[in-house]
Amino acid sequence: MATSDDHTVTFAAPEVILFSGDVERAAEFYQRLGFVETFRVPQEGTPIHVDLQLDGYKIGFASVDSARQDHGLDPATLGQRATVTLWTQDTARAYQALTARGVPGLAAPSVWLDRLLIAWVQDPDGHPVQLAQRLDGDT
């Protein structure tokens, strides 16, 4: 991408931010999956934004109300708006463990493309979470 003064603009450190009706609940869900909190606003009280990281991947959760009031956005709050994919060495075991803890299952483990075993669960805001395993054993 070039600017009008012909200097190149670069980008770095991409992150996905998902809108949430309850940022604290969303952050807690992903922390139970192994994500570690790296940022929170405000530090005390109900957060309007939380960032988490797992294995170099950053994901954030932003309050629907804050997005509307602070930024003039109109985030969609219904439906399967995005998905998070988590790679694992044992999709079947991960799916069973999560659904046993009350996480809604969307689709049981099944082979896809003859090389992946995938299953789907749902986070507290309705986002599908794909649990993926390479059948050759790599993650």
Side-chain angles (χ1 to χ4, degrees):
M1 176 189 309
T3 61
S4 59
D5 60 1
D6 213 20
H7 290 124
T8 301
V9 175
T10 60
F11 300 97
E15 175 181 2
V16 171
I17 306 292
L18 300 176
F19 296 115
S20 175
D22 187 334
V23 172
E24 186 75 54
R25 180 187 65 187
E28 289 171 358
F29 175 84
Y30 282 90
Q31 286 171 328
R32 287 192 304 273
L33 297 178
F35 283 79
V36 176
E37 186 175 310
T38 60
F39 177 79
R40 173 183 290 253
V41 171
Q43 289 290 322
E44 301 292 327
T46 304
I48 60 169
H49 187 107
V50 172
D51 287 341
L52 303 143
Q53 187 168 354
L54 174 67
D55 199 23
Y57 176 77
K58 285 182 75 176
I59 187 170
F61 296 92
S63 160
V64 170
D65 292 338
S66 174
R68 289 181 175 144
Q69 295 165 7
D70 299 337
H71 304 292
L73 301 177
D74 186 22
T77 58
L78 298 175
Q80 297 175 343
R81 305 161 313 277
T83 190
V84 174
T85 297
L86 299 175
W87 291 93
T88 180
Q89 292 181 347
D90 193 338
T91 291
R93 193 172 100 214
Y95 179 82
Q96 189 281 328
L98 290 170
T99 56
R101 290 191 336 220
V103 174
L106 298 177
S110 64
V111 175
W112 187 55
L113 301 176
D114 295 324
R115 61 189 164 130
L116 298 173
L117 183 65
I118 63 169
W120 297 87
V121 296
Q122 182 173 283
D123 81 4
D125 289 299
H127 301 110
V129 177
Q130 177 180 267
L131 310 173
Q133 172 188 352
R134 288 186 178 88
L135 293 177
D136 62 11
D138 292 336
T139 55

